[in-house]
Amino acid sequence: MFDESLVVQSAVSAFNNAALVAPTFFWLGLLAAPLMALAYFYGKDFMKRIGWRDADLEKNTGILTVAVTLLWIVAFGGNYGVLRDATSALPFGMAAVVFVCMFVMGAVSRSVRLPAWRGASWHRRGMLAAAVAAVLFFVGASGMHTWWGVLMQVAAFVCGGIAGRYSGRTPRIIPAGLIIIGAVDVLMLMQPEFFRFGQLGALTVVHMAALLAIGGLVAAVAALRNVAPRGRIHRSAYVKLKWMARFLAALGVILFVLTESVPVFLGTLAVLFGMFALSVRHAEKIPHGLDVKLWALILMLFGLITTLPLLSALGVLVWISAPSCDVYSGSKFLL
């Protein structure tokens, strides 16, 4: 309790944010509400101006979400003064997210020609080398807490881009976005002080509710997009299984609020996914456009907890462009 490193970490964390008593991301989200209103009322006109069609909106917003998340992870730097120790699992998780983001970006930019090195003048080669060095330095600086963190972050960035560009397959954007958002959600819980999202793991109810909401929505969209409705589960068996899943999910939520434990959080999300998958499997059909509406909610909430209003605005654009669907009534069967 009185270890000097812990005392210093606590002091630096308290100096950098007041998340223990004030969920800053929530108040910043309220301040960004006028921007969301503008996106809601004038989003259609904006999409026409930039040439986005409703048919390509999911793909475009997914790609932009991945790109912005990558820049956010690399650029914001983190709160290294409160990183608990050099053996933390957080740097590995961050590098994994960077790899996946770059894999997606490399795959979707496969048709873009890279600047030619051979035959280029020495002046052009120097400019290219300087640009590459600047980008790699920028990426490596996001892992500067240890010497191997710098190397790992740069390796994840470069290897992810190369693997995506030469993989031969373009990943599905929404599933990739769900993986990235879900991973960041877990990393925020793993060491919230690194993201200026809390103080040494002491989160408010608002923080935990936001993390649970995003995780639950990710599980719901994953079930809606990967499980086919069959209507074959016997009614009595379905009711018993559903109540058991509800009980386990409620127990998981209570334990998570009490412990703020990452394994409990992951277990709760697994139970929620199983419950949602059971509901989808039992249903004869699912409401058209429900998964798109829930994807829009994910973007709105993810932009809120990362204090990136751009992502929340993208969620609003998806919401107003999605097929008409009563989300409240249509999603009741999942619960």
Side-chain angles (χ1 to χ4, degrees):
M1 177 177 178
F2 297 104
D3 179 75
E4 59 180 11
S5 63
L6 184 61
V7 173
V8 172
Q9 290 171 0
S10 301
V12 174
S13 179
F15 179 78
N16 277 300
N17 61 75
L20 192 61
V21 294
T24 306
F25 78 95
F26 179 76
W27 302 115
L28 290 176
L30 289 181
L31 291 175
L35 174 62
M36 302 306 108
L38 290 175
Y40 183 83
F41 289 109
Y42 301 104
K44 290 283 188 180
D45 296 333
F46 174 75
M47 287 188 292
K48 288 181 181 179
R49 287 180 177 273
I50 63 176
W52 280 12
R53 299 177 301 172
D54 288 352
D56 299 327
L57 187 60
E58 284 186 56
K59 177 182 177 182
N60 292 335
T61 54
I63 293 173
L64 191 55
T65 298
V66 173
V68 171
T69 302
L70 174 64
L71 289 175
W72 175 74
I73 287 175
V74 172
F76 85 112
N79 197 353
Y80 294 106
V82 294
L83 190 59
R84 295 173 192 174
D85 51 62
T87 60
S88 169
L90 180 66
F92 301 98
M94 297 280 283
V97 173
V98 169
F99 178 88
V100 175
C101 288
M102 278 304 299
F103 183 91
V104 174
M105 297 308 299
V108 299
S109 64
R110 196 176 295 135
S111 59
V112 178
R113 294 185 60 184
L114 296 176
W117 179 264
R118 292 182 179 179
S121 64
W122 287 105
H123 177 70
R124 183 174 177 79
R125 288 187 178 185
M127 292 181 61
L128 289 175
V132 171
V135 171
L136 295 182
F137 175 82
F138 185 58
V139 173
S142 63
M144 63 190 292
H145 54 286
T146 58
W147 65 268
W148 52 265
V150 175
L151 298 179
M152 183 171 61
Q153 201 81 320
V154 172
F157 183 86
V158 174
C159 294
I162 294 175
R165 192 170 182 87
Y166 296 103
S167 63
R169 293 185 59 186
T170 300
R172 292 186 297 168
I173 300 301
I174 302 303
L178 291 176
I179 293 172
I180 293 168
I181 291 173
V184 173
D185 197 38
V186 174
L187 291 176
M188 280 188 164
L189 177 61
M190 182 182 297
Q191 283 195 311
E193 69 275 14
F194 184 83
F195 296 92
R196 294 183 174 88
F197 192 65
Q199 291 181 294
L200 292 178
L203 301 180
T204 66
V205 175
V206 178
H207 290 99
M208 290 184 282
L211 293 174
L212 275 172
I214 291 180
L217 287 171
V218 167
V221 175
L224 289 169
R225 285 183 170 258
N226 294 284
V227 179
R230 299 295 184 186
R232 294 180 180 177
I233 303 176
H234 195 273
R235 177 68 182 175
S236 62
Y238 170 74
V239 171
K240 292 181 179 66
L241 290 172
K242 194 66 177 289
W243 274 108
M244 183 175 66
R246 288 169 179 163
F247 174 78
L248 291 175
L251 180 61
V253 170
I254 293 172
L255 288 176
F256 169 67
V257 172
L258 293 175
T259 64
E260 301 179 20
S261 169
V262 174
V264 172
F265 181 72
L266 293 175
T268 303
L269 296 189
V271 171
L272 287 174
F273 175 78
M275 184 174 71
F276 297 150
L278 180 67
S279 301
V280 174
R281 194 71 172 180
H282 176 70
E284 295 287 344
K285 62 178 181 178
I286 58 178
H288 178 62
L290 179 61
D291 58 329
V292 182
K293 290 285 191 179
L294 295 184
W295 167 246
L297 288 176
I298 290 174
L299 292 181
M300 294 181 203
L301 286 174
F302 188 63
L304 178 65
I305 68 169
T306 55
T307 61
L308 292 172
L310 173 61
L311 297 185
S312 296
L314 291 178
V316 174
L317 294 182
V318 174
W319 181 274
I320 63 178
S321 303
S324 179
C325 174
D326 187 347
V327 178
Y328 178 75
S329 299
S331 58
K332 280 184 177 179
F333 80 100
L334 292 172
L335 302 174

